[in-house]
Amino acid sequence: MKILITGSNGLLGQKLLHKLRVDSSLDLIATSRGENRVSEKNGYTYLALDITDEKAVAQIIAMQKPDVVINTAAMTNVDLCEAEKENCDALNVNAVQYLADACQQIDAHLIHISTDFIFDGEDGPYKEEDEPNPLSYYGLSKLKSEQLLQTHAVKWTVLRTIIVFGVAENLSKGNLVLWAKGALEKGDPLNIIDDQFRAPTLAEDLADACILAAKKKALGVFNASGEDIMSIYEIVERIANHFGNTTENLNKISTATLNQTAGRPPKTGFILDKSKKVLGYNPHSFEDCLTIIDKQLNK
Ligand SMILES: NC(=O)c1ccc[n+]([C@@H]2O[C@H](COP(=O)([O-])OP(=O)(O)OC[C@H]3O[C@@H](n4cnc5c(N)ncnc54)[C@H](OP(=O)(O)O)[C@@H]3O)[C@@H](O)[C@H]2O)c1
């Protein structure tokens, strides 16, 4: 099997790269925009690919002829998507169309990542077939990408996930767990929202869901998040307890006080029965995730 990853410099992209490059049963092509920022260069071929470039997408996929394409590249900054809707559509919607068209030409399977932000958060945790109602342009863009796949002739899988976190090198953005750990260590007062509930996802678990979907050739929509649903405050509190930081400096605040550009769903979380049964997905508990992160940071 030959697998091509997009966005291989990103958090999920790097986890996929490291898991797949050591699998001698497959060929791995890692692609991302610009230079390869992953220091390990063995076990795969790297090609620069900006997925908003339709011609480049078509050319590289036609030349490489992968059996599976895993699309991890996206514009994930929710407020930036609200402010830059055209750029958001270019990467989160139009580029998915280019990938789907190119995959269809060679009968490749496209695995794409979506989000809990397609829901309004009034009725979480959600099943795959629940009714979407995005509150943000980011959520809408991801919903549009799902809808275009649903009517496309390509073989596709959508994996929906929630707050992805993990340790990786040279990332262009941070993630909640590492940010909270660093901020707690500094000991400054921290204002944390306690009226949004999420099921944070270890990047390795999401990478496993992608690989399971690729190997089982599973088609359709699957939830692939962590299992523990907590308020953002509780997430930070559990990080503090795990790493032995005081919670005395933590203040609870409400979403309304933040005045964020884009709307956020109050309570998401996913029901994982389908992905456990069909894919064999088995995410770590949040506590185990923190132990894994701790080990990786102290390597
Ligand atoms: N992170 C979350 O909390 C979260 C939550 C729900 C769903 N998701 C979804 O999960 C997926 C993976 O997220 P992630 O956290 O791994 O994101 P990430 O760390 O931001 O990785 C995305 C990667 O895509 C690259 N990229 C950006 N524009 C590109 C382009 N035009 N062509 C090719 N590559 C491009 C980025 O490059 P640079 O590194 O050079 O910027 C980055 O390396 C995304 O689909 C995201 O929407 C994430």
Side-chain angles (χ1 to χ4, degrees):
M1 178 153 66
K2 189 171 190 178
I3 298 186
L4 185 147
I5 310 169
T6 70
S8 61
N9 282 326
L11 178 54
L12 173 60
Q14 288 193 33
K15 297 300 178 186
L16 280 166
L17 187 156
H18 288 299
K19 281 177 182 278
L20 294 173
R21 72 175 191 83
V22 292
D23 184 340
S24 55
S25 72
L26 54 85
D27 276 349
L28 178 62
I29 311 292
T31 74
S32 215
R33 63 173 173 196
E35 285 190 3
N36 183 8
R37 303 200 302 270
V38 177
S39 50
E40 176 59 68
K41 309 286 187 214
N42 293 321
Y44 65 99
T45 303
Y46 180 82
L47 299 171
L49 175 62
D50 177 340
I51 63 163
T52 62
D53 180 340
E54 185 175 7
K55 261 195 192 151
V57 167
Q59 265 170 10
I60 285 186
I61 290 181
M63 269 175 62
Q64 294 299 326
K65 296 198 173 36
D67 300 291
V68 179
V69 171
I70 306 177
N71 178 34
T72 80
M75 187 158 161
T76 58
N77 181 319
V78 179
D79 291 318
L80 193 66
C81 287
E82 208 69 27
E84 297 184 8
K85 296 188 172 69
E86 259 180 49
N87 292 338
C88 172
D89 274 343
L91 186 49
N92 290 358
V93 188
N94 302 347
V96 181
Q97 176 84 47
Y98 308 153
L99 289 166
D101 292 348
C103 284
Q104 192 205 338
Q105 288 295 318
I106 57 158
D107 200 27
H109 176 182
L110 175 61
I111 298 178
H112 176 60
I113 316 297
S114 186
T115 169
D116 55 334
F117 275 39
I118 65 164
F119 295 109
D120 59 21
E122 294 301 326
D123 207 14
Y126 291 97
K127 298 191 292 293
E128 283 81 355
E129 59 273 22
D130 283 337
E131 199 59 43
N133 181 29
L135 303 179
S136 62
Y137 203 78
Y138 170 70
L140 179 64
S141 72
K142 286 288 183 174
L143 180 59
K144 285 195 223 167
S145 72
E146 289 195 19
Q147 287 167 339
L148 85 81
L149 290 177
Q150 269 154 7
T151 54
H152 202 287
V154 72
K155 292 180 288 192
W156 60 269
T157 310
V158 164
L159 297 172
R160 292 182 183 148
T161 195
I162 304 176
I163 303 189
V164 185
F165 65 91
V167 179
E169 58 181 335
N170 300 318
L171 292 175
S172 55
K173 70 173 197 344
N175 58 74
L176 175 66
V177 172
L178 295 190
W179 168 81
K181 183 176 179 294
L184 287 160
E185 278 161 9
K186 281 192 194 142
D188 296 337
L190 289 179
N191 296 330
I192 309 290
I193 38 180
D194 75 336
D195 56 356
Q196 286 183 36
F197 294 78
R198 302 283 183 266
T201 310
L202 184 69
E204 280 86 347
D205 284 338
L206 180 57
D208 284 342
C210 294
I211 295 167
L212 285 165
K215 292 199 165 164
K216 293 188 180 241
K217 298 190 166 47
L219 304 177
V221 178
F222 293 89
N223 289 338
S225 66
E227 210 157 17
D228 302 74
I229 302 173
M230 299 162 280
S231 73
I232 307 290
Y233 183 90
E234 190 187 344
I235 294 172
V236 176
E237 189 176 45
R238 286 179 65 175
I239 295 168
N241 291 335
H242 185 94
F243 291 101
N245 304 116
T246 176
T247 52
E248 270 172 25
N249 304 324
L250 292 184
N251 307 310
K252 289 183 180 170
I253 58 163
S254 70
T255 303
T257 59
L258 287 179
N259 261 327
Q260 288 164 314
T261 328
R264 264 81 171 165
K267 182 175 179 192
T268 66
F270 284 143
I271 292 162
L272 299 173
D273 295 354
K274 183 183 173 189
S275 53
K276 284 183 177 176
K277 193 167 161 214
V278 179
L279 300 179
Y281 179 60
N282 184 22
H284 293 87
S285 68
F286 189 59
E287 208 49 47
D288 286 350
C289 293
L290 296 178
T291 305
I292 290 170
I293 297 264
D294 200 1
K295 275 197 195 135
Q296 290 173 344
L297 290 172
N298 289 307
K299 245 200 330 209

